[in-house]
Amino acid sequence: MVYFRHPASRVKLGSAALVAGLALAASPCRGQNLITNGGFELGPNPGSFASVCPPSTSITGWTVIRDCVHYMGSYWVADDGVRSLDLDALEGDSGGISQSFATTPGRLYLVSFSLAGNYVSGPALKRMRVLAAGASAEFTFDITGRSSANMGWTRHRWSFTAVAPLTTLEFWSVTSPSGYGPALDRVSVGCAADFDGDGTVDFFDYDAFVQCFEGGVCPPGMTADFDGDGTVDFFDYDAFVVAFEAGC
């Protein structure tokens, strides 16, 4: 038997539920990244780094919003490839980027990205917000001890439920004072049911969710509160199964 947490008690699901889970996972599928140029490798050569200001679309797939950003090249080591972004450009610039892509209303999507920070100057804690479909969240990165060769890129994941056939994803700096901001790389949007983050929806995702749901170890950046209502309960299990059935 597998026990799942409930706000007031423990709900026990028998072998039938496990068999159902195995059946759902019988046909694994490879998730598709809905984001174009998530590693920022496509665009004009920034050299060491270059300022890019709104409403530029020179970085393929992305629109610069709010204020200028630094398109980073050889200045520091990217998490993937050789390019990344500093969402603050010059002092006073708290910039951002956005990209729109097709979505299915009511479906849950998973946003994954790598976060670091410009270590050259403070504040030590770099702050960034992400927004999609009216939902948003803030993420932070501490630059203490970091350098160009030791950026400390950290992988984060965040989910949203689409409300329209077209969704715009935004990242922007809320670091204050601005000028040396959060660094961003390796952005992707895909299946929320890819719970273990390996790019494939299969039984390993089901197993990872069950372990997290029971109070065990959750994959980095993930939580058993799958429906995002602030409570871990059977509705989260149900929401996960719906996303898992939808697959890729």
Side-chain angles (χ1 to χ4, degrees), residues 6-245:
H6 186 275
S9 62
R10 308 195 88 187
V11 177
K12 184 168 67 176
L13 299 182
S15 58
L18 293 181
V19 171
L22 285 167
L24 291 173
S27 300
C29 59
R30 174 66 61 178
Q32 175 190 7
N33 185 4
L34 301 179
I35 292 295
T36 298
N37 193 27
F40 311 111
E41 298 300 304
L42 303 177
N45 187 352
S48 178
F49 65 89
S51 292
V52 185
C53 297
S56 176
T57 56
S58 63
I59 303 172
T60 302
W62 297 96
T63 299
V64 178
I65 59 174
R66 299 175 184 265
D67 216 324
C68 302
V69 302
H70 273 151
Y71 189 21
M72 307 302 296
S74 60
Y75 192 85
W76 61 46
V77 176
D79 186 48
D80 183 47
V82 295
R83 298 180 184 179
S84 59
L85 293 182
D86 178 351
L87 294 179
D88 284 6
L90 302 175
E91 185 176 351
D93 291 341
S94 293
I97 55 168
S98 69
Q99 184 172 145
S100 299
F101 48 91
T103 50
T104 300
R107 178 170 288 188
L108 192 69
Y109 292 86
L110 184 67
V111 181
S112 302
F113 57 91
S114 296
L115 182 65
N118 191 329
Y119 54 85
V120 174
S121 183
L125 197 66
K126 310 300 183 180
R127 299 167 53 222
M128 181 193 76
R129 289 203 71 83
V130 56
L131 178 146
S136 68
E138 182 172 309
F139 296 86
T140 61
F141 183 86
D142 191 334
I143 62 168
T144 303
R146 299 303 176 185
S147 66
S148 62
N150 179 28
M151 290 292 290
W153 292 101
T154 303
R155 199 74 177 147
H156 292 277
R157 290 191 279 179
W158 174 75
S159 61
F160 69 89
T161 300
V163 296
L166 189 70
T167 296
T168 299
L169 174 67
E170 299 182 20
F171 296 92
W172 74 95
S173 173
V174 288
T175 301
S176 181
S178 59
Y180 301 88
L184 181 67
D185 200 3
R186 202 176 150 207
V187 179
S188 67
V189 175
C191 304
D194 181 19
F195 201 75
D196 63 6
D198 68 352
T200 301
V201 177
D202 54 23
F203 182 74
F204 295 106
D205 297 294
Y206 184 87
D207 183 60
F209 178 76
V210 168
Q211 290 188 46
C212 181
F213 191 77
E214 287 184 304
V217 176
C218 298
M222 299 303 285
T223 172
D225 182 20
F226 200 79
D227 62 6
D229 68 353
T231 301
V232 175
D233 54 28
F234 186 78
F235 295 107
D236 296 295
Y237 175 79
D238 185 60
F240 176 78
V241 168
V242 170
F244 196 86
E245 287 180 313

